[in-house]
Amino acid sequence: MDRFRFITAGESHGPSLGVVVEGVPSGLVLNEDALEVDLARRQRGYGRGARQSIERDHARILSGVRHGRTLGSPILLEVANRDWENWTRVMQVGPLSDADAAELAALAEGGTKRAQPITRVRPGHADLAGALKYGFNDVRNVLERSSARETAARVAAGGIARAFLRELGIDVWSFTAEVGGVAVDPARCTRSREEADASPLRCPDPEAEVAMIARIDEARSGGDTVGGVFEVVVHGAPIGLGSYVHWDRRLDTALAAAVMSIHIVKGVEFGLGFEQTRRFGSQVHDVIEGRRADGSWVHRSNNAGGLTGGVTNGEPIVVRGAVKPISTLARPLPTSDLISGQPVDTAHYERSDISVVPAAGVIGESMVMLTLARFVLEKTGGDSMAEVTDNLRRFRERIAAQPAAPVPGDGSGGHATEA
Ligand code: EPS
């Protein structure tokens, strides 16, 4: 059974978001302050909308932890929606009494947008397909769950994976690589990781960031939105996570699905990615330079993005997510009405972000960490952190040693023992 599996619940303007994370080993040090770091990073970024000035995301730990350490039991986290208090009648869980219904109707009548049913489906959003699929005549029922607000719960869960991976020496971060066609130039990436993280777009290249901000301002002034690319980088993953033996055991399969599952992501690539298709093999494949004294392996480059045959090869894992422009536009596109089926001039608009690439990067980190944690546990097994760390240390020692030279016909069938 998959370890570190998780399931989220919650509507964007409901009382709260929840997530249950199952299969976390016992003995992991965990507290709410640690989870807050990534939640705050997810909320920041130039181009974010008004919602983030309302929310101050904090995950309450409601189960699975005692005296600051995990118990091995399911961990339940809750992230409250502060905005809920502005939506109590619209998002009321219980049935509407006559008085409630009259109040809601009066609000809608009086022009309160959030109380009005939504039928002008937004191009690019889940609105139309979702309403038809679930049988709704009010798109509110779709957008509440399809909203990227749900990613706050994923990032809360990702904080547990970060604590787990950190104990094993595995480190994950991300940065904004591109916004609206403006890309970072590795030669100009002068900012340290801390400096990049503190910058408006979480960008290591200060010059590119200025031009990226200009693109966001341009989108804002046109009532538009703009996308980009984030890059997640993993250091310290041991060789041997994932497997080439079957499609669903490849780590790249799982990472691609995890990153692709983020609402705003429309493409995923590893290492050199699609650029590989434009080069000869000699300009793509990473020359293997040999084993170091400490047993690690060196490649001349990392175009494969740390994964060959779906297995970690000891190089940093590099995965990028393509972020589409947000589909809620302040100057809405023409669309059609869900009920009449006829064209209308403008799609629905309440409020939105202009650009979310830095936030998407933090969510990308979380999805990568949750996936890696699962694959680490698949490799090591173990119910307690002591067992996991012990097993991983022994595996690392085993593969660092020089294997015995193969002797044809010695009966070992090519199974190495240490020399
Ligand atoms: C988000 C909260 C949402 C949006 C955004 C992500 O808040 P609201 O809908 O109340 O403004 O800002 O969601 C979308 C981009 C979307 O398309 O639904 C958040 O917390 O990340």
Side-chain angles (χ1 to χ4, degrees):
M1 194 166 290
D2 281 348
R3 306 283 300 272
F4 258 91
R5 64 197 165 128
F6 68 99
I7 189 161
T8 71
E11 276 66 45
S12 179
H13 305 102
S16 62
L17 302 162
V19 57
V20 179
V21 187
E22 204 276 320
V24 180
S26 68
L28 177 67
V29 173
L30 193 71
N31 59 58
E32 293 179 0
D33 290 347
L35 302 181
E36 204 152 82
V37 178
D38 286 331
L39 285 169
R41 290 170 72 229
R42 192 200 75 95
Q43 285 201 262
R44 285 200 294 267
Y46 191 82
R48 282 295 243 167
R51 177 75 184 269
Q52 302 313 321
S53 55
I54 300 171
E55 303 299 340
R56 205 161 306 135
D57 291 336
H58 174 87
R60 283 179 67 209
I61 301 175
L62 296 173
S63 76
V65 179
R66 178 168 180 254
H67 298 172
R69 281 180 187 264
T70 56
L71 296 171
S73 52
I75 300 173
L76 171 60
L77 304 178
E78 185 193 41
V79 180
N81 289 322
R82 286 166 69 116
D83 204 15
W84 155 247
E85 62 185 49
N86 304 313
W87 293 79
T88 47
R89 194 62 78 216
V90 179
M91 291 303 295
Q92 180 172 313
V93 174
L96 293 174
S97 68
D98 290 348
D100 296 342
E103 185 191 323
L104 195 57
L107 280 173
E109 197 97 327
T112 302
K113 230 174 167 184
R114 69 184 60 151
Q116 296 165 352
I118 299 162
T119 59
R120 289 175 295 124
V121 287
R122 290 164 294 175
H125 217 281
D127 296 356
L128 176 62
L132 296 174
K133 177 176 170 67
Y134 286 95
F136 299 138
N137 63 7
D138 179 0
V139 169
R140 168 69 51 206
N141 288 343
V142 177
L143 71 83
E144 284 294 333
R145 182 61 186 165
S146 62
S147 164
R149 174 79 190 140
E150 184 261 352
T151 59
R154 299 198 205 186
V155 170
I160 304 175
R162 187 184 293 286
F164 170 76
L165 295 172
R166 188 174 279 155
E167 282 215 14
L168 306 175
I170 304 170
D171 172 71
V172 181
W173 86 297
S174 72
F175 59 90
T176 296
E178 210 171 309
V179 171
V182 178
V184 296
D185 176 348
R188 288 188 319 224
C189 288
T190 51
R191 282 181 176 149
S192 70
R193 198 161 136 170
E194 288 70 29
E195 287 165 346
D197 233 26
S199 77
L201 288 176
R202 296 205 317 101
C203 181
D205 174 350
E207 216 174 302
E209 188 177 54
V210 172
M212 290 172 180
I213 288 173
R215 290 290 277 161
I216 296 171
D217 289 341
E218 191 185 333
R220 189 196 312 274
S221 61
D224 220 324
T225 57
V226 63
V229 178
F230 63 80
E231 181 167 316
V232 179
V233 185
V234 181
H235 288 100
I239 295 174
L241 301 183
S243 177
Y244 59 87
V245 303
H246 203 248
W247 68 270
D248 60 353
R249 293 187 57 197
R250 297 175 64 103
L251 179 57
D252 48 10
T253 301
L255 287 174
V259 173
M260 197 70 181
S261 78
I262 301 168
H263 307 58
I264 203 83
V265 169
K266 294 298 268 187
V268 181
E269 61 177 15
F270 294 91
L272 202 54
F274 275 47
E275 174 59 25
Q276 294 178 63
T277 63
R278 297 168 205 124
R279 300 188 185 183
F280 290 122
S282 58
Q283 298 167 305
V284 167
H285 297 297
D286 306 309
V287 171
I288 300 166
E289 302 212 300
R291 185 175 47 221
R292 288 197 199 96
D294 66 0
S296 61
W297 285 84
V298 186
H299 296 76
R300 192 173 295 167
S301 51
N302 186 23
N303 292 335
L307 286 152
T308 35
V311 185
T312 49
N313 65 12
E315 293 295 334
I317 301 171
V318 179
V319 51
R320 274 186 297 279
V323 174
K324 70 175 178 177
I326 279 186
S327 50
T328 310
L329 272 59
R331 187 178 292 167
L333 287 168
T335 187
S336 289
D337 185 84
L338 173 68
I339 310 303
S340 71
Q342 296 304 307
V344 290
D345 288 343
T346 55
H348 171 73
Y349 177 75
E350 270 164 34
R351 68 177 174 207
S352 193
D353 311 84
I354 313 296
S355 186
V356 292
V357 185
V362 176
I363 302 157
E365 289 176 29
S366 290
M367 292 308 296
V368 165
M369 291 189 292
L370 287 157
T371 308
L372 275 180
R374 170 154 67 89
F375 275 75
V376 166
L377 284 168
E378 185 204 67
K379 184 81 194 80
T380 63
D383 294 304
S384 65
M385 284 309 292
E387 205 179 348
V388 172
T389 46
D390 209 35
N391 292 351
L392 185 59
R393 180 183 48 76
R394 278 189 293 116
F395 172 67
R396 279 179 155 143
E397 283 169 9
R398 178 182 299 279
I399 61 168
Q402 182 177 335
V407 179
D410 71 352
S412 73
H415 295 268
T417 50
E418 286 99 60

